[in-house]
Amino acid sequence: MDFNRCFRSLDISLALHYGLGMVAQRYALVGQNIDNSLSPKLMNAAFKARGIDAEYVLRPTEPEDLDEVIDELRTGDWAGLNITRPYKCDFFTLVDLPSDNAARAKAVNTLWFRNGQIHGALTDVQGVLEPLIRAGFAGGGEGLILGAGGAARAAALALSKMGTKVHLAARRPEQAQALCGELLLEKTGEVLDLNDAQQIETILPQIDSLIQATPLGMQNEAHVFDFGPIKESCIAFEMVYAPAETPFIKSAQEMALSSVKGLEMLEEQGEAAIKLWVG
């Protein structure tokens, strides 16, 4: 028996029943290769600014550990969790009550336990919407998303909510095609092969937003296509936040495009997660 877990659950129960001062709430980021994540620094600063007695840490997780993580959430080890690559879709299958966005995308990035059930949300949608609006994107038109994973799902929903026709480009086009079918987007465009630079460059002149939703750039890798054909009014959105100046962002800056860096999305989705956890 895990006595530490039992005693922690008892502490929380007693505090709720008698109104005692509770121990600091613990939150965590769940994922692989997360040692260099900025999330603990940002989230702990956000908790401190709000006067919330909480601690946010890393919870490195292997594929075989997902059920264990859910058990930890149920038994009070964590007051809430954020989910990152590569588990956003995997954890969706373990949630009891998904939010509308999560249910539609079949992906989650925020979990909490309440009233005997695991709740799940996809705050990445807000993480895309708010920075896009601040950058001057008014919606409508056409958008191209690079990638077909959990982050791309959030981006597609965000663009769709703004009435934008969504094109998808992936290294496995069949994955992007499946994503389009699952999301039931109001305006679905073309599915492109991300390995085919000519295909991408052909569609660039007609798009109003370009969202980079793959891990490419974390090691300073660059996409194979040329930004040259893109129109000046297009907004470039990078989801990778480290390094701050990815090759994608540098290419956007060279074309004098309005751009959104990954850190803006990280901050926005984190704000949304805190609101779900603590109100």
Side-chain angles (χ1 to χ4, degrees), residues 24-40:
Q25 295 293 284
R26 298 178 72 236
Y27 299 84
L29 176 69
V30 173
Q32 282 186 324
N33 303 317
I34 57 176
D35 291 348
N36 296 319
S37 172
L38 290 179
S39 289

Side-chain angles (χ1 to χ4, degrees), residues 1 5 35-36 40 96 104 129 168 172 187 198 229 231 236 240-241 246 255 258 275:
M1 178 180 292
R5 183 178 298 175
D35 291 348
N36 296 319
D96 301 314
R104 193 171 171 190
L129 274 174
L168 287 167
R172 290 188 294 149
K187 299 178 182 179
Q198 186 174 0
K231 54 187 177 183
V240 171
Y241 65 81
T246 62
M255 296 297 297
S258 294
K275 289 178 182 177

Side-chain angles (χ1 to χ4, degrees), residues 39-62:
S39 289
K41 182 177 180 180
L42 291 175
M43 297 297 272
N44 283 319
F47 284 133
K48 184 177 180 180
R50 290 164 175 75
I52 298 171
D53 188 12
E55 178 188 26
Y56 190 100
V57 299
L58 299 177
R59 204 301 189 182
T61 303
E62 296 303 320

Side-chain angles (χ1 to χ4, degrees), residues 182-196:
E182 291 173 7
L183 292 182
L184 300 175
L185 302 173
E186 283 75 8
K187 299 178 182 179
T188 303
E190 297 182 44
V191 171
L192 309 171
D193 185 347
L194 191 48
N195 297 303
D196 188 333

Side-chain angles (χ1 to χ4, degrees), residues 86-131:
Y87 300 129
K88 293 182 181 183
C89 295
D90 297 306
F91 271 101
F92 172 77
T93 65
L94 303 176
V95 166
D96 301 314
L97 285 177
S99 69
D100 289 344
N101 285 334
R104 193 171 171 190
K106 294 182 172 57
V108 292
N109 77 321
T110 302
L111 303 180
W112 67 101
F113 183 65
R114 189 172 297 158
N115 298 327
Q117 294 181 302
I118 299 290
H119 296 248
L122 187 62
T123 64
D124 283 344
V125 176
Q126 292 99 309
V128 175
L129 274 174
E130 297 303 325

Side-chain angles (χ1 to χ4, degrees), residues 36-274:
N36 296 319
S37 172
L38 290 179
S39 289
K41 182 177 180 180
L42 291 175
M43 297 297 272
N44 283 319
F47 284 133
K48 184 177 180 180
R50 290 164 175 75
I52 298 171
D53 188 12
E55 178 188 26
Y56 190 100
V57 299
L58 299 177
R59 204 301 189 182
T61 303
E62 296 303 320
E64 62 271 18
D65 298 332
L66 270 58
D67 286 331
E68 181 180 342
V69 170
I70 289 294
D71 184 51
E72 291 170 358
L73 186 58
R74 287 188 187 278
T75 54
D77 284 22
W78 309 109
L81 296 171
N82 283 138
I83 310 300
T84 189
R85 293 186 181 97
Y87 300 129
K88 293 182 181 183
C89 295
D90 297 306
F91 271 101
F92 172 77
T93 65
L94 303 176
V95 166
D96 301 314
L97 285 177
S99 69
D100 289 344
N101 285 334
R104 193 171 171 190
K106 294 182 172 57
V108 292
N109 77 321
T110 302
L111 303 180
W112 67 101
F113 183 65
R114 189 172 297 158
N115 298 327
Q117 294 181 302
I118 299 290
H119 296 248
L122 187 62
T123 64
D124 283 344
V125 176
Q126 292 99 309
V128 175
L129 274 174
E130 297 303 325
L132 267 180
I133 293 170
R134 284 198 299 269
F137 185 62
E142 302 183 33
L144 173 61
I145 299 170
L146 311 179
R153 289 168 180 263
L157 282 183
L159 289 182
S160 186
K161 285 176 180 291
M162 298 188 75
T164 301
K165 184 177 182 180
V166 179
H167 305 279
L168 287 167
R171 300 198 182 283
R172 290 188 294 149
E174 66 277 8
Q175 184 181 1
Q177 192 70 59
L179 188 154
C180 286
E182 291 173 7
L183 292 182
L184 300 175
L185 302 173
E186 283 75 8
K187 299 178 182 179
T188 303
E190 297 182 44
V191 171
L192 309 171
D193 185 347
L194 191 48
N195 297 303
D196 188 333
Q198 186 174 0
Q199 263 193 29
I200 306 299
E201 290 165 13
T202 298
I203 202 173
L204 287 183
Q206 67 194 62
I207 65 168
D208 304 282
S209 56
L210 176 62
I211 300 182
Q212 203 296 111
T214 78
L216 203 70
M218 296 176 71
Q219 305 299 324
N220 281 307
E221 317 98 315
H223 288 287
V224 296
F225 63 86
D226 181 9
F227 273 59
I230 205 165
K231 54 187 177 183
E232 294 180 358
S233 59
C234 182
I235 294 176
F237 192 118
E238 169 67 274
M239 287 191 169
V240 171
Y241 65 81
E245 300 286 339
T246 62
F248 178 87
I249 285 293
K250 290 177 181 177
S251 294
Q253 290 173 340
E254 288 170 3
M255 296 297 297
L257 303 180
S258 294
S259 59
V260 177
K261 295 182 180 179
L263 190 58
E264 293 183 56
M265 177 183 175
L266 182 67
E267 291 173 338
E268 199 66 49
Q269 64 83 23
E271 291 278 350
I274 290 175

